[in-house]
Amino acid sequence: MFTFLKHYSTLFQMYISKKGFKDIVVSKGSGNGDGELPSSSKTKNVYPPIETFWLPPSAAETAMDAPKGGGLGSKLLQPLGFRRSSKRSLKMAMEGKHDPKEEEAVDRLREMLFLDGKLPTKFNDYHTLLRFLRMRDFDSEAAKDMFLKFIKWREDFRTDTISKDFKFEEREEVKKCYPHGFHGVDKYGRPIYIERIGMVDLNKLLQVTTLERFVKYHVSEQEKTLSIRYPSCSIEAKKHIASTTSILDVGGVGMANFSKPARYLFTEIQKIDSNYYPETLNRLFIINAGSGFKILWKALRAFLDARTLAKIHVLGNNFVHELRDIIDPSNLPTFLGGNCVCPEYGGCLFSDKGPWNNRDILDLLQVISSVDETYDNGEESGLASEDALLDNRKIQALEEALAETKTKIEALETALEDTKVILKDLTQHIEGLRS
């Protein structure tokens, strides 16, 4: 949510205050906001989608049909750098191959965190670590620092407690004054997230909930996306899914959308998403962008880096063809040019339609989770836990350092003995000269 509007609201503030606006660089071009990079963009590498490799469907189907307990002992969202067992066919089907260079960088980051004792088993996950590395352009130290801040934030914000115990009873009322929600998947299999910003009634929103509760709700939804939506989509698509296709309807956006409470909400959510859930956006379509928005967009894009710009497509009223290129009409609500209305749920944005509501898929995820707990508890014979491997590596490193120190001490002792012999001979020689 709000993955883009922090920058928009900041720019809007500058505009209405008439301060600093003259310093904004507006790039030349057609004005549609697509594809062009302003010269003032921060230089960052643009990477392909994080889902880059997958196995053919036949291989994935074979893995999914394997007997329970024989091929399900793998963590869909917690693949480990240390090879555990050949009984990880489901993980392999869901993940496919890793890029060798990226895998080397992930292993290096994992080792750095391990040796500092700062990597919880829950996040010893190839794709989680890869997201932080990508966000920091594969600077291991910067990625490590970002990851440690992520762990600290989870402790301070009590994220695990929120994802388990937080109840957002006002969800239905909130969606009436702030239309948003997940709805289906794109043609690749990624979940689709939709917001209708121009229809937000912030005054009513604050009557049914508080800003603090809404932020907690946002975090709980992010946690659900990572732990349930992505793995469910991965099972249905038979390949690794780790990002979202988002649609932001800005039709009707005006000054009321950028009041002080709105800016606070935008800022808090943007900070959380950027710092603690990085690299989870595949593509963002901004639709119904009128002339006023496009003028602001020309200025705004000068503040966005190349990686973010590559994911954003600003469209006017003729957006249906672009959306249908990547989304089947059955997964598009009618107000976006599709043919879905979800009448049984009171509308598409109330439905949370997607593979994550498929009972069979959820049962499979539960089986995977249960079997993985068995692995993590050391009940699978012949498999060492990562913590044990880490301890062994730490012990080995300490033993090597101790052996090296011992060798140096022995060398010093030998030199000292030699020095004593030389001094003794010298003393005898001096005494002989005196006599």
Side-chain angles (χ1 to χ4, degrees):
M1 301 177 191
F2 301 115
T3 54
F4 156 78
L5 288 180
K6 174 191 174 185
H7 304 284
Y8 188 18
S9 62
T10 301
L11 187 62
F12 193 82
Q13 284 180 274
M14 295 168 63
Y15 177 75
I16 61 177
S17 65
K18 298 182 180 179
K19 294 180 180 179
F21 192 75
K22 63 182 180 180
D23 297 326
I24 296 175
V25 178
V26 180
S27 59
K28 297 179 180 180
S30 62
N32 62 7
D34 290 336
E36 303 165 12
L37 300 181
S39 58
S40 59
S41 289
K42 303 170 186 176
T43 55
K44 282 190 176 182
N45 292 323
V46 179
Y47 304 109
I50 201 165
E51 310 96 341
T52 50
F53 301 100
W54 63 91
L55 292 181
S58 58
E61 288 163 2
T62 300
M64 290 179 64
D65 291 339
K68 295 180 181 180
L72 296 178
S74 58
K75 283 193 173 174
L76 192 57
L77 287 184
Q78 299 177 7
L80 305 173
F82 303 108
R83 300 297 179 187
R84 278 183 166 181
S85 168
S86 60
K87 295 182 178 181
R88 302 184 66 82
S89 54
L90 182 58
K91 178 188 82 73
M92 294 173 62
M94 295 301 106
E95 284 209 344
K97 298 178 181 178
H98 296 167
D99 178 89
K101 291 184 179 179
E102 290 185 338
E103 187 163 32
E104 182 180 349
V106 168
D107 286 342
R108 183 165 57 252
L109 175 60
R110 175 181 283 119
E111 182 173 355
M112 292 168 63
L113 293 165
F114 261 141
L115 294 177
D116 284 351
K118 299 293 185 179
L119 181 56
T121 302
K122 179 178 180 180
F123 299 110
N124 187 7
D125 171 355
Y126 172 84
H127 288 284
T128 295
L129 298 179
L130 179 59
R131 287 192 290 110
F132 284 93
L133 281 164
R134 282 187 166 207
M135 193 66 179
R136 290 295 179 259
D137 274 332
F138 287 87
D139 181 328
S140 297
E141 287 294 340
K144 175 185 173 183
D145 180 66
M146 185 180 183
F147 183 85
L148 294 179
K149 289 178 179 177
F150 159 72
I151 296 299
K152 180 66 165 57
W153 169 77
R154 293 187 69 88
E155 294 174 354
D156 294 343
F157 201 75
R158 303 184 69 184
T159 305
D160 291 333
T161 300
I162 289 173
S163 61
K164 292 178 181 178
D165 302 332
F166 179 69
K167 306 298 181 185
F168 199 62
E169 294 89 355
E170 61 267 39
R171 182 194 309 265
E172 299 299 311
E173 291 302 312
V174 164
K175 288 202 172 191
K176 291 178 183 178
C177 49
Y178 175 8
H180 70 280
F182 283 88
H183 186 270
V185 297
D186 64 19
K187 290 181 180 179
Y188 189 90
R190 300 179 181 96
I192 301 168
Y193 177 75
I194 303 166
E195 284 192 12
R196 307 188 77 179
I197 296 298
M199 298 177 65
V200 173
D201 187 331
L202 191 62
N203 291 329
K204 287 186 178 179
L205 178 68
L206 295 179
Q207 291 174 10
V208 297
T209 192
T210 65
L211 296 178
E212 290 74 16
R213 281 185 61 79
F214 192 92
V215 171
K216 285 185 178 182
Y217 161 63
H218 175 74
V219 170
S220 69
E221 286 293 295
Q222 287 285 46
E223 291 292 299
K224 180 178 179 179
T225 298
L226 289 179
S227 63
I228 298 178
R229 290 192 179 100
Y230 288 159
S232 297
C233 288
S234 298
I235 289 177
E236 181 172 82
K238 302 179 178 67
K239 55 194 174 188
H240 183 74
I241 300 296
S243 63
T244 303
T245 293
S246 297
I247 302 171
L248 189 67
D249 186 349
V250 296
V253 167
M255 289 183 63
N257 298 96
F258 300 99
S259 62
K260 185 176 179 180
R263 292 197 301 272
Y264 166 81
L265 200 58
F266 296 160
T267 301
E268 284 300 303
I269 289 178
Q270 172 67 11
K271 180 176 67 176
I272 288 171
D273 289 352
S274 297
N275 294 331
Y276 312 127
Y277 300 96
E279 293 291 299
T280 53
L281 175 66
N282 169 59
R283 211 182 303 188
L284 171 62
F285 291 92
I286 300 175
I287 65 168
N288 287 321
S291 57
F293 181 91
K294 288 182 177 179
I295 291 173
L296 286 176
W297 171 244
K298 282 185 177 181
L300 170 63
R301 59 199 297 249
F303 294 91
L304 302 178
D305 60 56
R307 183 185 306 152
T308 301
L309 281 170
K311 297 179 179 182
I312 298 176
H313 302 266
V314 180
L315 308 172
N317 297 325
N318 299 320
F319 55 82
V320 175
H321 177 72
E322 296 258 6
L323 294 184
R324 287 195 173 195
D325 276 348
I326 67 162
I327 302 171
D328 189 86
S330 63
N331 281 318
L332 273 176
T334 53
F335 61 82
L336 294 179
N339 53 33
C340 186
V341 292
C342 293
E344 65 273 32
Y345 298 102
C348 292
L349 297 187
F350 289 83
S351 70
D352 197 27
K353 168 185 175 181
W356 48 90
N357 287 316
N358 182 310
R359 189 68 258 170
D360 292 337
I361 289 178
L362 292 177
D363 288 344
L364 179 56
L365 285 178
Q366 184 61 43
V367 171
I368 293 169
S369 177
S370 299
V371 175
D372 285 335
E373 287 179 5
T374 300
Y375 275 110
D376 288 339
N377 291 331
E379 296 176 13
E380 176 72 6
S381 61
L383 296 179
S385 68
E386 296 93 68
D387 288 341
L389 289 171
L390 171 62
D391 290 341
N392 289 337
R393 293 179 70 179
K394 285 183 176 180
I395 291 171
Q396 183 180 356
L398 289 172
E399 287 177 342
E400 290 175 356
L402 182 61
E404 184 179 352
T405 302
K406 184 177 180 181
T407 300
K408 290 180 179 180
I409 291 174
E410 290 174 349
L412 288 172
E413 289 176 342
T414 299
L416 181 60
E417 290 299 323
D418 291 342
T419 302
K420 287 180 179 179
V421 171
I422 293 172
L423 289 175
K424 182 178 179 180
D425 291 343
L426 182 59
T427 300
Q428 291 176 350
H429 179 67
I430 292 173
E431 289 177 352
L433 291 175
R434 286 176 177 174
S435 61

